[in-house]
């Protein structure tokens, strides 16, 4: 994909940069960015992104909320942390991208909700919450079918050989899912954490408005 | 003298990287590491949990593990999985640095009558092996040197980034060109070939979720391993091992290559070099691409 600057007729949302600074984990360090480009130059998948991190950070400053939230940059981050450790200004690049993905989903952007990573994350969370553990087999199946039956079958077929070899080497669990013992305890902790997260979100929303 | 550590194995130790777990368990006693599992540990959230439910619920997974670990009474929690390490370590550091976050997590933990104050140190087992055990002690256990085996040491990214060169990460190696894999390989008596892709990323979870995006990344790594005539690639990272091994067929199909390069863990090299059984102790019977030369070097 060729990187392009968004149209000039865009709508600015000038509170966006302030909002990011407060609500995105690590976002308060964004004002340290000096636009040197070390991050984008260090990124293994930079060429496949709409915008590299440097440009994305400039767009946050420019208040281009929609363009940032819809960009595929956040979904192509492989979390190798190379940009983060190399940034001469101590901007936690990976953490910011990571947190932006959470925000994009919570704000309801279709691009974010339908991203393959989000669908995978939902499948993963289901397993973590239900069993306390990742069941790689069930998570993968659930993810494959999250894009519809057709996609599920296509992806499943493409990976059948790999799955069978993994099972053959006893590296994929078959049979009843493994579970932690005190699942009720974990469920309660997670439910409370979700409640607190929502409470905090609502409070932060009020703060930006004021 | 043996030292006792609270140990967090992580989900993949029971499935896709069972061979890391088995070989690590086999070498640990020889290196004086006593690994005591956290009782009833749960998943760490990996690199996607936060996207499903947000940062706090995701960190709550780690907080429960840390609270249970704390109950054991030891100062350190050790893990061998790069993803478990990075997420548990990160959650722990955030609990230490952010009072509000700590209070929120403790409010959630209280639902199960638990609490955590951030006082533990989360460590990667490779850091423990470099700093507590020491390369000399590793060398001292070698009874079956892997003479003539050419190994490409591939550290990957998350084992060393972003924590390895920070004080709380143990200051044990460099972010960009860490040398501990080379030291481990040489301690085993094998030859560590030059490897410019030492910390190149395989695509991580993006490779699992959308393989097509990252096949090129893995191809670059395999290209160099082949060019350096490595008999195998060795890594500390479960996801690196799995991705680079399971996608070789797809890469061959996509790029017309003919890679069949075994990808093993450092712990499997050590198990063979320590004279343990190459198939059962080193768990080389669980490779999808057989590490034939290494198996043959094993003492049966
Ligand atoms: S490396 Fe750091 S300072 Fe440079 S552009 Fe990226 S975030 Fe900004």
């Amino acid at each position: 994909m060729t990187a392009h600057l968004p149209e000039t007729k865009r709508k600015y949302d000038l509170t966006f940069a302030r909002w990011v600074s407060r609500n995105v984990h690590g976002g308060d360090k964004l004002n340290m960015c000096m636009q040197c480009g070390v991050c984008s130059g260090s990124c293994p998948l930079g060429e496949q992104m709409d915008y590299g991190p440097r440009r994305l950070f400039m767009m946050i400053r420019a208040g281009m909320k929609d363009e940032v939230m819809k960009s595929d940059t956040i979904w192509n981050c492989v979390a190798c942390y190379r940009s983060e450790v190399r940034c001469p200004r101590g901007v936690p690049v990976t953490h910011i991208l990571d947190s932006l993905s959470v925000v994009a989903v919570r704000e309801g952007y279709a691009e974010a909700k339908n991203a393959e990573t989000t669908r995978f994350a939902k499948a993963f969370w289901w397993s973590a919450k239900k069993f306390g553990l990742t069941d790689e087999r069930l998570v993968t199946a659930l993810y494959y079918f999250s894009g519809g039956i057709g996609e599920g079958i296509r992806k499943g077929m493409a990976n059948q050989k790999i799955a069978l070899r993994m099972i053959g080497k006893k590296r994929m669990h078959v049979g009843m899912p493994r579970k932690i013992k005190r699942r009720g305890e974990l469920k309660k902790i997670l439910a409370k954490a979700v409640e607190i997260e929502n409470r905090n979100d609502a409070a932060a929303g009020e703060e930006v408005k004021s | 003298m043996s030292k006792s550590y609270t140990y967090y194995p992580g989900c993949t130790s029971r499935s896709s990287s069972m061979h890391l777990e088995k070989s690590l368990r086999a070498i640990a006693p020889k290196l004086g590491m006593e690994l005591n599992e956290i009782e009833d540990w749960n998943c760490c959230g990996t690199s996607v949990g936060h996207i499903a439910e947000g940062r706090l619920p995701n960190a709550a997974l780690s907080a429960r593990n840390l609270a249970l670990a704390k109950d054991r009474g030891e100062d350190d929690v050790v893990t061998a999985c790069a993803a478990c390490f990075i997420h548990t370590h990160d959650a722990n550091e955030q609990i230490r640095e952010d009072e509000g976050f700590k209070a929120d997590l403790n409010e959630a933990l209280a639902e199960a009558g638990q609490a955590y104050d951030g006082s533990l140190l989360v460590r990667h087992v490779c850091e423990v092996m470099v700093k507590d055990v020491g390369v000399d002690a590793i060398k001292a256990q070698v009874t079956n040197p892997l003479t003539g085996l050419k190994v490409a040491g591939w550290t990957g990214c998350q084992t060393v980034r972003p924590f390895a060169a920070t004080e709380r990460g143990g200051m044990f190696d460099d972010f960009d060109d860490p040398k501990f894999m080379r030291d481990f390989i040489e301690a085993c008596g094998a030859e560590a070939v030059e490897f410019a892709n030492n910390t190149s990323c395989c695509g991580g979870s993006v490779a699992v979720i959308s393989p097509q995006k990252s096949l090129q990344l893995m191809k670059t790594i395999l290209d160099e391993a082949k060019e350096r005539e490595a008999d195998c690639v060795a890594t500390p990272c479960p996801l690196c091992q799995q991705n680079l091994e399971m996608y070789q067929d797809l890469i061959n199909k996509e790029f017309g290559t003919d890679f069949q390069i075994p990808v093993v863990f450092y712990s499997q090299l050590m198990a063979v070099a320590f004279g343990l059984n190459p198939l059962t102790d080193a768990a080389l019977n669980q490779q999808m691409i057989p590490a034939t030369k290494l198996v043959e070097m094993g003492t049966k």
Side-chain angles (χ1 to χ4, degrees), chain A residues 48 80 95 116 132 143 181, chain B residues 40 43 90 161 209-210 213:
Chain A
Q48 296 195 35
C80 72
H95 281 89
E116 287 184 320
Y143 161 62
K181 277 185 274 170
Chain B
D40 205 38
C43 174
D90 210 9
R161 288 198 290 257
I209 298 165
S210 324
K213 284 184 187 167

Side-chain angles (χ1 to χ4, degrees), chain A residues 67-82:
Chain A
E67 289 85 345
V68 170
M69 290 288 149
K70 290 178 183 175
S71 83
D72 69 4
T73 305
I74 45 189
W75 308 111
N76 279 327
C77 174
V78 291
C80 72
Y81 294 85
R82 181 173 264 155

Side-chain angles (χ1 to χ4, degrees), chain B residues 67-212:
Chain B
L68 294 171
K70 174 83 188 162
D71 289 345
R72 285 196 44 83
E74 278 147 354
D75 297 335
D76 303 336
V77 193
V78 174
T79 178
C81 170
C84 290
F85 169 65
I86 209 165
H87 296 105
T88 313
H89 191 291
D90 210 9
N92 193 43
E93 295 309 294
Q94 287 175 42
I95 290 167
R96 294 171 65 86
E97 286 159 15
D98 184 340
E99 283 296 330
F101 196 62
K102 178 163 127 186
D104 287 346
L105 281 173
N106 274 290
E107 190 183 337
L109 286 175
E111 291 289 303
Q114 292 170 344
Y116 179 61
D117 58 359
S119 58
L120 293 170
L121 181 62
V122 181
R123 304 177 68 188
H124 193 287
V125 74
C126 287
E127 184 241 318
V128 172
M129 284 164 73
V130 170
K131 291 185 66 182
D132 296 12
V133 177
V135 175
D136 287 340
I138 297 172
K139 217 178 281 174
Q141 290 300 324
V142 174
T143 55
N144 178 38
L146 308 177
T147 317
L149 188 76
K150 294 171 89 168
V151 184
W154 177 40
T155 310
C157 41
Q158 296 189 341
T159 302
V160 286
R161 288 198 290 257
F163 300 117
T166 65
E167 203 179 312
R168 298 271 304 161
M171 295 277 198
F172 83 107
D173 218 323
D174 182 77
F175 299 130
D176 266 334
D177 194 20
K179 63 185 230 321
F180 77 87
M181 278 301 296
R182 166 172 292 272
D183 291 345
F184 288 177
I185 292 163
E186 286 172 352
C188 291
E191 179 190 341
V193 300
E194 280 299 314
F195 203 55
N197 279 287
N198 185 5
T199 59
S200 291
C201 176
C202 65
S205 59
V206 171
V208 176
I209 298 165
S210 324
Q212 293 299 335

Side-chain angles (χ1 to χ4, degrees), chain A residues 32-40 54 57 87-89 91 93:
Chain A
M32 295 297 288
C33 174
M34 61 180 185
Q35 291 287 300
C36 68
V38 164
C39 50
S40 301
R54 179 200 64 79
F57 294 164
C87 171
R89 303 285 288 166
V91 178
V93 183

